[in-house]
Amino acid sequence: MEERELVLAHREPVADGVVCLTLRAPDGGPLPAWAPGAHLDLLLAEGLERQYSLCGDPADTGAYTVAVLREPEGRGGSAFVHDRLAEGDTVRVRGPRNHFPLEASARYLFLAGGIGITPIVPMVAEAEARGADWLLVYGGRSRSSMAFADALAAEYGDRVRLHPLDECGPLPLDEVLGTPHPGTAVYCCGPEPLLAAVEQRCVAWGPGALHVERFAPKADADAGPRVAFEVELAVSGRTLPVPPGRSILEVVEDAGVPVLSSCREGTCGTCETEVRAGVPDHRDSLLTDEERAAGETMMICVSRSCGPRLVLEL
């Protein structure tokens, strides 16, 4: 996927510990189109790449907007954004890419926790534009920590239910998810405990009702035995052994085969690769159950093989 250099045109605090960045082309020209749910890769420094959901207006073709939470226990990406990026700086980006698209539905239930509101903001605007029936339930540690909360409430009124933890307690998941509503698409983004709780409650809603996006891998995503297998690269005509302690991505890179990657933990989708033959052992935190069962693609940064051989479109 093409990389480009953009200029940080504006940065603005939008909540406690959250800064909003507006990126534009150096010549002010239009940028590639995107749809709600898309994210952008920010290539911040050598070896420091992070994915952030686009939270602006897709109709504004001249700007990309992302919001970044400072994470004291993070791996350096948010600290770089908060402490080192200044207006006028050049930022290399890759994307947009969308693994969390807003599917057509008559009704939507949006659930957001903390910075998980970012992909939801353009989704509620799109749902409103489509004339759909929708509700947003949005929680955070405190009202001051909840980015875009006041603007959402002011624009959409009682379709937005704010639940600051220090005022209202946890999100009322049993209330909003306890009774399945056929024909309702549930979209959720936030920290892993929220996603796990929502997934548990949405089992009764049936397959395809729930759509989630994760910022970090599932706790048990890489569970299971790690055995050796072979991977055949259909395009380059090579067959490579993948030992138990290495990923397909690492082996392919060492062999000099170019492949895009970013998170290396099965959450961003950058390294998604077509499977020509074999059965993948999916260990990502991104694909749906239906996509896993189809076995047409896999994330080669974490996923392995259920058999002795895989054939990949590489």
Side-chain angles (χ1 to χ4, degrees), residues 47 134 139 155 182 187 192 197 256 276:
W134 62 269
E155 184 167 1
Y187 279 79
E192 182 58 29
R276 284 199 178 183

Side-chain angles (χ1 to χ4, degrees), residues 36-39 51-55 67 99-101 109-123 135-140 146 171 173 177 185-199 202 210-216 267 285-286:
H39 70 258
Q51 296 75 44
Y52 299 108
S53 297
L54 288 162
C55 57
H99 288 280
F100 192 42
L109 172 59
F110 299 108
L111 301 169
I115 198 62
I117 191 62
T118 50
I120 302 298
V121 169
M123 286 186 176
L135 173 69
L136 166 62
V137 183
Y138 174 20
M146 297 168 63
L171 288 179
L173 297 183
L177 297 174
V186 182
Y187 279 79
C188 182
C189 187
E192 182 58 29
L194 171 63
L195 299 180
V198 170
E199 285 177 329
C202 280
L210 176 62
H211 310 262
V212 302
E213 184 172 53
R214 284 180 156 84
F215 298 132
T267 59
S285 301
L286 186 63

Side-chain angles (χ1 to χ4, degrees), residues 42-297:
L42 268 58
L43 285 63
L44 300 170
E46 187 65 34
L48 190 63
E49 301 180 12
R50 295 294 182 267
Q51 296 75 44
Y52 299 108
S53 297
L54 288 162
C55 57
D57 180 0
D60 182 0
T61 59
Y64 290 149
T65 302
V66 299
V68 181
L69 169 68
R70 179 188 287 277
E71 301 184 71
E73 306 303 320
R75 297 171 296 154
S78 66
F80 188 101
V81 169
H82 278 258
D83 298 337
R84 297 179 60 180
L85 281 188
E87 291 182 2
D89 285 352
T90 297
V91 182
R92 281 194 308 140
V93 306
R94 185 190 299 126
R97 182 184 299 105
N98 200 339
H99 288 280
F100 192 42
L102 185 67
E103 298 181 359
S105 180
R107 291 183 299 277
Y108 297 97
L109 172 59
F110 299 108
L111 301 169
I115 198 62
I117 191 62
T118 50
I120 302 298
V121 169
M123 286 186 176
V124 298
E126 178 65 20
E128 180 75 3
R130 293 178 185 179
D133 182 17
W134 62 269
L135 173 69
L136 166 62
V137 183
Y138 174 20
R141 295 187 310 278
S142 63
R143 192 173 296 268
S144 64
S145 73
M146 297 168 63
F148 312 118
D150 291 341
L152 287 166
E155 184 167 1
Y156 300 115
D158 59 7
R159 289 194 176 198
V160 176
R161 292 171 55 180
L162 302 179
H163 283 265
L165 182 63
D166 60 352
E167 297 177 25
C168 308
L171 288 179
L173 297 183
D174 289 334
E175 175 190 337
V176 297
L177 297 174
T179 302
H181 296 282
T184 299
V186 182
Y187 279 79
C188 182
C189 187
E192 182 58 29
L194 171 63
L195 299 180
V198 170
E199 285 177 329
Q200 181 183 36
R201 287 164 174 81
C202 280
V203 170
W205 289 59
L210 176 62
H211 310 262
V212 302
E213 184 172 53
R214 284 180 156 84
F215 298 132
K218 291 182 179 180
D220 60 349
D222 198 24
R226 301 177 68 88
V227 299
F229 58 94
E230 288 186 339
V231 58
E232 179 183 334
L233 311 183
V235 176
S236 55
R238 303 178 65 179
T239 298
L240 305 172
V242 182
R246 309 205 72 207
S247 69
I248 298 173
L249 176 61
E250 291 169 334
V251 168
V252 169
E253 286 179 331
D254 284 353
V257 177
V259 58
L260 286 177
S261 67
S262 185
C263 74
R264 295 179 176 262
E265 57 184 16
T267 59
C268 76
T270 305
C271 69
E272 185 171 12
T273 301
E274 181 182 342
V275 179
R276 284 199 178 183
V279 180
D281 176 8
H282 294 291
R283 302 190 181 198
D284 65 276
S285 301
L286 186 63
L287 294 176
T288 66
D289 290 341
E290 292 79 11
E291 290 168 332
R292 290 178 176 226
E296 296 176 352
T297 66

